[in-house]
């Protein structure tokens, strides 16, 4: 999980690790014995073992057969993803031998997750069923209910771990398209392995569907189309389409080309969404607000997004936020659009 700072070593596994991962390794003492590179006393045989092994060699052993869809976390990812990756590799040895049957690929996954109520914010136990042959994720309000409360097409799902926002270390945000708008669903499971298994099972079904939809595509082309982390989230103020209304504080989520804004970070539905196309199709972003804008908000660092239809005006509290949002907007607008993104753009234009 390279953070560029391996200040620690596992003298039983022969790998160098960063501070964040050293804590996880310490939790599995049967497998990993952790020492500081600078503060611990190293025996000669331990130093010899590290020299004979090391990260590259151990990677070829413990990551010999990682499935294409399996999400490999980096040092930026949350604790539950990093811990389960480390346990899967070294404790369960899931990826050491090719040809193993993975729990993520069983075709059906059926179990209980705690789900946040759309209106009251309470977490209640709900049954979820993932079906590869249908390409759907369903959930039921009662375990033995005949009809699901929702049937979600897996190809419209994004899933991303959001422990701080959800207030649970295993909190997962699932977003999907429902009637042309994005629905947010917040779930968790007390068991870290269980929630990470759900996450990778969703990715496995997504990859299965993408291979059918894009028969000529390589794995490297398809993996970026699986679940993805949000590019940026945070508060900005925005004004309405006439730009005479007051600036109101909203929570913004940038999910690739979709910029969603919500009253509260845990709202089930966005109040609105902006599609960000490419620059050569009339999309642009600039620092500041148009001359003459009446800015009644407390925040002064303006951003103007231009779409073929209208301008969107935002303000940020800090200049650093403004610079970061604009950097992400520019990156998205500089990238060429895929055929699927043209379809999404058309859908946004014709939304009710």
């Amino acid at each position: 999980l390279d953070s560029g700072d391996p200040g620690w070593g596992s003298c039983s596994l022969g790998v160098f690790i960063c501070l964040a991962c050293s804590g996880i390794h310490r939790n599995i003492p049967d497998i990993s014995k952790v020492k500081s590179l600078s503060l611990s006393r190293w025996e000669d045989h331990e130093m010899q073992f590290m020299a004979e092994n090391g990260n590259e060699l151990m990677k070829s052993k413990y990551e010999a057969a990682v499935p294409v869809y399996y999400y490999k976390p980096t040092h930026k990812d949350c604790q539950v993803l990093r811990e389960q990756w480390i346990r899967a590799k070294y404790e369960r040895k899931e990826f050491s031998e090719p040809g193993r049957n993975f729990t993520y690929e069983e075709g059906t996954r059926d179990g209980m997750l705690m789900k946040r109520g759309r209106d009251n914010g309470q977490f209640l136990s709900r049954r979820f069923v993932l079906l590869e042959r249908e390409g759907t994720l369903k959930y039921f309000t009662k375990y033995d209910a005949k009809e699901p409360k929702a049937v979600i097409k897996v190809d419209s799902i994004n899933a991303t771990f959001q422990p701080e926002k959800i207030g649970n270390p295993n909190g997962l945000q699932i977003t999907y398209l429902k009637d042309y708008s994005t629905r947010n669903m917040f779930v968790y499971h007390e068991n870290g392995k269980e929630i990470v298994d759900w996450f990778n099972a969703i990715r496995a079904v997504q990859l299965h569907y993408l291979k059918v939809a894009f028969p000529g595509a390589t794995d490297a082309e398809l993996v970026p189309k699986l679940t993805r982390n949000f590019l940026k989230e945070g508060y900005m103020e925005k004004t309405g389409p006439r730009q005479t209304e007051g600036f109101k504080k909203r929570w913004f989520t940038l999910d690739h080309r979709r910029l969603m804004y919500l009253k509260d970070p845990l709202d089930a539905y966005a109040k609105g969404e902006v599609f960000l196309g490419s620059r050569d199709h009339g999309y642009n972003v600039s620092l500041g607000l148009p001359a003459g804008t009446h800015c009644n908000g407390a925040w002064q660092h303006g951003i103007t997004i231009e779409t073929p239809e209208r301008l969107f005006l935002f303000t940020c509290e800090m200049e650093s936020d403004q610079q970061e949002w604009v950097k992400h907007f520019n990156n998205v607008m500089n990238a060429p659009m895929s055929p699927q993104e043209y379809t999404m753009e058309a859908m946004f234009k014709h939304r009710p």
Side-chain angles (χ1 to χ4, degrees), residues 134-319:
E134 290 182 7
T136 58
L137 175 67
K138 302 175 183 181
Y139 80 89
F140 300 80
T141 46
K142 293 196 174 63
Y143 187 80
D144 53 1
K146 293 273 185 286
E147 292 301 317
K149 180 85 168 75
V151 179
I152 305 158
K153 285 165 63 80
V154 169
D155 59 5
S156 81
I157 286 180
N158 191 14
T160 169
F161 280 90
Q162 296 282 344
E164 281 92 19
K165 189 158 72 172
I166 294 171
N168 184 288
N170 301 340
L172 184 69
Q173 178 173 352
I174 295 173
T175 65
Y176 59 96
L177 284 175
K178 185 182 177 195
D179 305 330
Y180 299 111
S181 53
T182 301
R183 164 85 161 95
N184 297 310
M185 197 158 63
F186 303 96
V187 298
Y188 70 85
H189 195 286
E190 289 300 345
N191 180 307
K193 178 182 184 298
E194 191 69 21
I195 196 72
V196 174
D197 285 358
W198 270 102
F199 176 64
N200 281 304
I202 288 170
R203 290 173 61 89
V205 175
Q206 285 182 329
L207 184 66
H208 172 85
Y209 261 71
L210 285 165
K211 285 188 158 175
V212 174
F214 304 99
T218 63
D219 287 341
E221 288 168 321
L222 295 179
V223 167
K225 296 183 194 304
L226 303 180
T227 66
R228 61 212 166 260
N229 294 323
F230 297 142
L231 294 175
K232 183 169 168 62
E233 287 197 292
Y235 283 106
M236 290 193 283
E237 292 188 334
K238 75 170 286 291
T239 183
R242 292 192 301 282
Q243 290 149 27
T244 51
E245 302 96 322
F247 277 79
K248 292 193 176 83
K249 187 173 162 185
R250 296 286 180 252
W251 177 264
F252 284 81
T253 298
L254 180 58
D255 185 2
H256 194 45
R257 290 197 185 273
R258 296 210 310 263
L259 177 66
M260 297 165 264
Y261 49 95
L262 307 92
K263 233 176 177 168
D264 181 274
L266 294 173
D267 281 347
Y269 288 98
K271 282 193 79 63
E273 302 185 47
V274 185
F275 179 84
L276 303 179
S278 60
R279 212 172 284 287
D280 50 4
H281 284 82
Y283 294 85
N284 219 326
V285 60
S286 52
L287 288 168
L289 302 174
T293 305
H294 175 60
C295 190
N296 66 325
W299 296 355
Q300 301 303 316
H301 304 284
I303 298 173
T304 301
I305 287 182
E306 183 185 344
T307 73
E309 286 76 47
R310 58 168 280 202
L311 297 179
F312 290 89
L313 312 187
F314 310 113
T315 54
C316 301
E317 184 175 20
M318 319 270 282
E319 189 181 357

Side-chain angles (χ1 to χ4, degrees), residues 88-123:
K89 276 201 292 189
Y90 302 124
E91 188 178 45
R92 302 193 290 270
K93 297 189 175 64
E94 285 186 23
F95 315 122
S96 297
E97 310 134 36
R100 274 191 61 163
N101 289 334
F102 291 106
T103 172
Y104 324 106
E105 293 174 23
E106 284 169 357
T108 303
R109 187 174 184 87
D110 187 333
M112 306 300 282
L113 295 173
M114 298 300 287
K115 175 188 167 294
R116 188 178 191 271
R118 191 181 86 180
D119 302 318
N120 61 9
Q122 265 186 314
F123 279 92

